[in-house]
Amino acid sequence: MKVLGIVGEYNPFHNGHLLHLVKSKEIVHPDFVIAVMSGNFMQRGTPAIIDKWQRAELAVSQGIDMVVELPTVYAISSAEDFADGSIKVLKEMNIINFLSFGSECGDINKLETLADLLLNEPHDFKQLFTTELSTGISYPKALYNTTKKYFPNGEEFASILESPNNTLGIEYIKAMKKNNLKATVLTIGRNSEYYTENKEIINGIASGSTIRELVKENQKFHTAVPFETFETIMECKKQGNIIYVINNFSNIILYKARTMPMQNLAKIQGVTEGLENRIKKAAIESTNFDEFIQNIKTKRYTESKITRILTAMLLDITKDDVILAKKTKPYIRVLACNQNGKMLISEIAKQNKHADIIISPANYLKNSKDRNKKLLLEKDILATDIYTLGYKKSSPGGLDFTTNIMR
């Protein structure tokens, strides 16, 4: 049995995602496809444009058999932890034998070379990196400079690290090796001209950020997404159940930053080197959310890293939560599936009798004796309850208990 695993955010599911899925299927010819998907908050710390169930259903409508949720603790983490959590979820199923991801590079050999380098960290490389980091520059910039100096053709390899999907792909490969996931890995090249930053749709392809911006500005985006995605987004806009930016939660975040005791702020995931002092000072002095972020920002702390930290604060995700997640085998939380997906649930249960497959969170919280997994699941539930506070018209709570995934 061939089972293809994919990791995605599908924010929202667009033609680029569909192209990746179609090409992956053409290469693998899988019997089943499973996707691990972020919940209501993304890896960059931003909220999803529409909720996790609707994004999962859209993925299923386009040919994925089952979508499972990446626990929130991992979903809003660094690329390394995001990938590590995703691979752990796939490994827990014990049926995945292929993994496919998109990358700007499109060369699996180069990505594997970089993955091995970063996983093993030779002494010379580590020394170079430490020197670069000591200058006060950001982690990505230090890694770029080190890679450029380490390889004879350093510019070629360093440039690979400048693209986000290359970086994630490298982390997937590292995570597979660390977690001993025995699967054939392949990458589908992303044509960079299709993913421009100037809000263009080229040959029916645009980046997720471009599509979200077009939706926000009430501009045409239908040619960049499957019809089902277009229909769902338009209905969500009509109902006011759509979220564009983290600023939707700005007052809540500022409130928490101003009122949270310093010792608690220091425990938030991502807060290091006394950053809690800078956050607290900025929260008091800033008059709006954009100013707040700019007042925290430094050469070392990029805007995306700060956004992730503020989202962790919003969702009460601490360093201890991340430690807990890393030492706990993940649950398999099903968000959507088709008839093949229902068969997969049975197959996963057969292949891993110890796997916790969650269909009903209420039943799991009531019956499970695994305290650690319940704590992590409660973070997902809290994330949904906070997410709906960003809606325009109504903010329902408890959706994790009332949403029917078997439609």
Side-chain angles (χ1 to χ4, degrees), residues 87 91 94 173-183:
I87 296 302
K91 180 177 170 59
N94 206 28
I173 297 169
K174 284 172 57 184
M176 288 176 71
K177 293 174 183 289
K178 283 192 297 183
N179 293 293
N180 198 30
L181 174 61
K182 304 292 186 183

Side-chain angles (χ1 to χ4, degrees), residues 64-298:
I64 288 174
D65 297 306
M66 184 167 76
V67 178
V68 300
E69 181 174 4
L70 176 63
T72 303
V73 171
Y74 285 118
I76 66 162
S77 291
S78 64
E80 183 177 16
D81 287 345
F82 178 94
D84 187 58
S86 301
I87 296 302
K88 281 177 177 174
V89 172
L90 290 171
K91 180 177 170 59
E92 189 67 6
M93 298 176 193
N94 206 28
I95 60 170
I96 301 294
N97 37 40
F98 290 87
L99 175 73
S100 176
F101 58 84
S103 69
E104 294 84 359
C105 169
D107 187 328
I108 196 66
N109 293 322
K110 288 180 180 177
L111 295 176
E112 286 186 327
T113 297
L114 283 167
D116 286 336
L117 173 70
L118 298 177
L119 192 60
N120 299 319
E121 287 192 319
H123 178 71
D124 291 351
F125 181 86
K126 191 181 288 188
Q127 272 194 325
L128 276 172
F129 181 69
T130 302
T131 302
E132 287 291 335
L133 207 56
S134 67
T135 64
I137 60 177
S138 67
Y139 180 95
K141 184 63 178 173
L143 188 58
Y144 174 89
N145 290 347
T146 304
T147 305
K148 186 177 178 180
K149 292 175 181 177
Y150 184 79
F151 286 104
N153 52 341
E155 183 66 51
E156 178 186 357
F157 279 97
S159 64
I160 292 174
L161 298 172
E162 291 186 296
S163 300
N165 291 285
N166 288 342
T167 302
L168 261 179
I170 291 166
E171 293 301 341
Y172 293 142
I173 297 169
K174 284 172 57 184
M176 288 176 71
K177 293 174 183 289
K178 283 192 297 183
N179 293 293
N180 198 30
L181 174 61
K182 304 292 186 183
T184 301
V185 61
L186 60 141
T187 185
I188 306 298
R190 292 162 54 105
N191 192 327
S192 59
E193 73 172 280
Y194 292 162
Y195 297 92
T196 57
E197 296 298 321
N198 55 0
K199 304 188 187 70
E200 284 187 15
I201 299 172
I202 302 175
N203 295 337
I205 304 290
S207 67
S209 59
T210 292
I211 293 166
R212 293 190 297 274
E213 193 64 29
L214 291 173
V215 175
K216 182 182 177 183
E217 295 177 358
N218 295 314
Q219 295 186 27
K220 292 180 180 179
F221 68 96
H222 65 283
T223 58
V225 298
F227 174 74
E228 291 82 358
T229 298
F230 174 75
E231 193 175 43
T232 299
I233 287 177
M234 295 309 291
E235 182 59 28
C236 286
K237 282 192 78 171
K238 181 180 174 182
Q239 295 177 0
N241 296 346
I242 200 161
I243 300 176
Y244 301 110
V245 289
I246 192 66
N247 299 51
N248 283 50
F249 308 94
S250 59
N251 285 342
I252 303 174
I253 293 172
L254 275 169
Y255 166 80
K256 295 196 81 165
R258 288 176 178 179
T259 60
M260 187 178 285
M262 196 71 82
Q263 65 269 27
N264 291 358
L265 193 51
K267 294 176 183 177
I268 295 296
Q269 170 61 10
V271 175
T272 56
E273 302 170 321
L275 186 64
E276 66 272 18
N277 298 296
R278 193 175 181 88
I279 292 173
K280 179 67 75 173
K281 185 172 184 289
I284 300 299
E285 294 179 351
S286 303
T287 58
N288 59 64
F289 192 68
D290 290 334
E291 186 182 346
F292 178 42
I293 290 180
Q294 290 306 312
N295 285 340
I296 302 171
K297 194 174 169 185
T298 66

